[in-house]
Amino acid sequence: MTTIYDVSKLAGVSAKTVSRVLNEPDRVKTATREQVLAAMKTLDYSPNASARQLRLGGFSSIGLLLEDPASGYQSRFHQALLTACMEAGKYMTVELFEGVMPDWQARVDRFLTEGRVRDLILLPTLCDFTPLKDLLRERGARAVLIAPSVHDPHFPSVVMDDRAAARQIIEYLFSLGHTRIGHITGHPDHSATILRRSGVIEAYDARGLPRPKPELFASGDFMFKKGIEAAETLLSLPEPPTAIFAANDETAAAVAMVAHRRGLSIPGDLSVVGFDDAPIASAVWPQLTTIAQPYFEMARKVVHLVDTWDQQSTQSGFVSTYLTPHELVVRESSGPVLKG
Amino acid sequence: MTTIYDVSKLAGVSAKTVSRVLNEPDRVKTATREQVLAAMKTLDYSPNASARQLRLGGFSSIGLLLEDPASGYQSRFHQALLTACMEAGKYMTVELFEGVMPDWQARVDRFLTEGRVRDLILLPTLCDFTPLKDLLRERGARAVLIAPSVHDPHFPSVVMDDRAAARQIIEYLFSLGHTRIGHITGHPDHSATILRRSGVIEAYDARGLPRPKPELFASGDFMFKKGIEAAETLLSLPEPPTAIFAANDETAAAVAMVAHRRGLSIPGDLSVVGFDDAPIASAVWPQLTTIAQPYFEMARKVVHLVDTWDQQSTQSGFVSTYLTPHELVVRESSGPVLKG
DNA sequence: ATAACAAATGTCATCGATGTCATAATGCGG
DNA sequence: CCGCATTATGACATCGATGACATTTGTTAT
């Protein structure tokens, strides 16, 4: 690595002058500047960011741990967080993280030290991975949780009301005349899975209807492939549902594919509703009715929480959960039950 | 910010001891360690990454500039690059970048200094944005280009053969009996647009067929929405094509949607082929025949190029372009022309 | 030509951590 | 209880950059 001293030596000036060329070029005589620039080029010099930041009072980037960057949910949040960081003038460093990796603890350590990260953002399901959170607390790292399953007294979090949203969807389907509604659940490790499922049941209860039979619940994992299986199961029932609420949009897209293969028209023969308003929701035919999560607002809130962590934590260990509103987006994939 | 000195003062030990507690806990007496740990907790201490790295010989993360993280292409590469970085033990810091921003130069500067980035990765279309590349050279930053339109003598690059791939697709469609093939082009600023288009023409020429009429080329921009318009245009022709080659998968998905709305069956009435093998290609019905780009190999090569930059550049300013192979993935959306 | 002031450059200390080496505290055998 | 090996801790220099302040060089007015 070449340093500012190497350059200064070659250019025959002091290190400070080289520094000036870099930071306040106008304060250096043109001839000198040229010389310095030439020396920098010759040596392929690039300033050491660590030293610079140490001196200037470092800026650490926000760390994001991603389990599966291909998932619509995570990539959507990733994008929203990037935008929020940009608005806030911060940077985000991303790390792939899979809890199953045997050396995950070492990797987190490395991320915190070498990755120059102090603040972390945890998405589901990492936000519920207690060993990780314990390690972070031990290391004095800060974290903000997105959609954790339960309030964590140590880390602030930002959530949406999955249960209420699911209930709203079912009530919407009720209003279209559907009574036999299938539900494909999410990944069992994900708290939203339970919440969305119980929102479904809550809707039945609230309306005084008998709870749906167990066979109307098929288990998924938020992924397209498993969604195919689940849809096959539901549509093969002796009395198939007239509507299916899939736990997320990728699963809903899978339902749509299976329905098409079976010659069912959507929403004529089957209404399909998703959750998340992922990009795919508007890129499949028919476009999916879904719940739009307030990604951008949540991301902004998260970045803000990171920013104000100091004030937060000084309030004697009390951290808060912030609830953000969602929205039902009605598109083409849902419609009234056809009589007869 | 609390420093190691604050902790050492509170714990009544030297700074070095605090450092040891952090880095080699076994070399500190248990009682002392406890005290230090307690002090760290009280002061909510977290070590300054810049200082640590300055001392240890810094690690800079690789910077990725994204124009549109929502696009299938960019997010796919993003994911592949993350994986490659993980394999190589590096970190990636991501920045949203839009050339249209009036202060883009200042933002790049900030990214290089505050973002602790020395090496950058540029995806299309940024890899063809000359003012940016000039600025980077001026700043002594390093960059590796992915799929630039032309070889850049200053930066190494990794590319695939868009022209050959497009030609391969058309020849495949020829083999199914298609002769009236529509093409929806990509974004006009993207070099791949020209290459893929010329691959189409090349296929006709190679077969000795007359080139397709101009109306069979509809202009798109790689995005779903524009794809809808383009598909409408093509399918409204007096003599609509029997197959459409869309410049990417999102556009192809749009074609499929329009076809379905018009009651056309795929591939019975219309074959649809995409490009990229984006996630959406296998999440729509029918699943799309497409060109699989070697994302992961390209990403690995890119990270490797970043790693070996020194050896590269010492070879007196000569940088190389690496060509990686692609693959035609035949799925459900393409089939033979129905006779009669 | 010279004082007076501005511009250009240099010197030294500093940011917060850790490596090196020195010193203090402990343990152990006799 | 001594002497020596070992362990635990501390003092100081250092990483590469920049801020504060000092010094040199150049310019202008008289």
Side-chain angles (χ1 to χ4, degrees), chain B residues 182-183 212-218 233-234 237-239 241:
Chain B
H183 175 50
K213 300 188 191 122
E215 64 261 29
L216 283 173
F217 292 95
T233 307
L234 288 176
L237 288 174
E239 273 196 312

Side-chain angles (χ1 to χ4, degrees), chain B residues 101-121:
Chain B
M101 297 180 299
D103 60 337
W104 66 265
Q105 320 200 22
R107 299 199 65 223
V108 169
D109 267 335
R110 228 174 69 82
F111 192 46
L112 291 174
T113 57
E114 300 184 17
R116 299 188 183 84
V117 158
R118 189 193 53 193
D119 308 296
L120 284 178
I121 298 173

Side-chain angles (χ1 to χ4, degrees), chain B residues 46-65:
Chain B
S46 72
N48 179 312
S50 300
R52 202 169 206 165
Q53 289 185 33
L54 171 58
R55 196 61 182 79
L56 298 177
F59 320 85
S60 48
S61 20
I62 299 181
L64 175 65
L65 295 181

Side-chain angles (χ1 to χ4, degrees), chain B residues 162-173 178 180-186 192-201 203-204 216-218 220 222 230 234 241-249 251-253 255 270-276 289-291 328 333:
Chain B
D162 283 277
R163 183 200 312 259
R167 176 172 164 179
Q168 190 176 346
I169 282 186
I170 300 299
E171 284 170 349
Y172 162 71
L173 290 174
H178 296 277
R180 217 162 49 257
I181 302 172
H183 175 50
I184 302 180
T185 57
T193 297
I194 304 159
L195 293 170
R196 292 177 194 174
R197 189 182 203 277
S198 58
V200 170
I201 294 174
Y204 279 86
L216 283 173
F217 292 95
F222 287 134
L234 288 176
T242 62
I244 292 180
F245 163 37
N248 72 338
D249 289 336
T251 307
V255 173
L270 180 73
S271 285
V272 179
V273 184
F275 202 111
D276 282 351
T289 292
T290 188
I291 291 285
L328 175 67
S333 66

